[in-house]
């Protein structure tokens, strides 16, 4: 994987209702933040969540992977 390319990926999550295929995009951080700033938004908060201890108990292999390569970024932005 090249960090600077936008790539569509997919993960399968297991829930009480069964497996769910969840598509997502990996993209450079600048491709996430720059469009917000260019269109007049102010960045209020940015969080890169880390996996929980419960996640570690249920999926230790995936836990280690997510510590090194986060899956989510949460952004709160407001219009200036």
């Amino acid at each position: 994987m090249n960090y600077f390319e936008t790539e569509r990926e997919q993960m399968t999550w297991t829930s009480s209702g069964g497996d769910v295929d969840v598509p997502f995009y990996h993209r450079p951080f600048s491709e996430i933040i720059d469009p917000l700033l260019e269109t007049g938004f102010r960045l209020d908060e940015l969080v890169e969540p880390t996996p929980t201890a419960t996640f570690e108990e249920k999926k230790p292999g995936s836990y280690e992977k997510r510590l090194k390569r986060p899956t989510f970024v949460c952004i709160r932005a407001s219009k200036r």
Side-chain angles (χ1 to χ4, degrees), residues 8-24 55 58-59 62 65-66 71-72:
R8 186 178 192 270
E9 299 184 32
Q10 184 167 308
M11 295 176 77
T12 301
W13 294 358
T14 302
S15 70
S16 58
D19 289 346
V20 177
D21 291 329
V22 180
F24 65 98
F55 186 81
K58 293 184 178 185
K59 295 193 170 194
S62 188
K65 184 178 178 181
R66 297 298 158 226
T71 306
F72 295 100

Side-chain angles (χ1 to χ4, degrees), residues 3 6 19 34 38 41-42 50 60 75 80:
Y3 175 82
T6 297
D19 289 346
D34 288 349
E38 290 166 2
F41 282 85
R42 179 184 67 225
T50 55
I75 298 168
R80 289 187 230 182

Side-chain angles (χ1 to χ4, degrees), residues 33-50:
I33 299 300
D34 288 349
L36 285 170
L37 300 176
E38 290 166 2
T39 55
F41 282 85
R42 179 184 67 225
L43 186 62
D44 296 326
E45 185 176 8
L46 183 135
V47 177
E48 293 178 279
T50 55

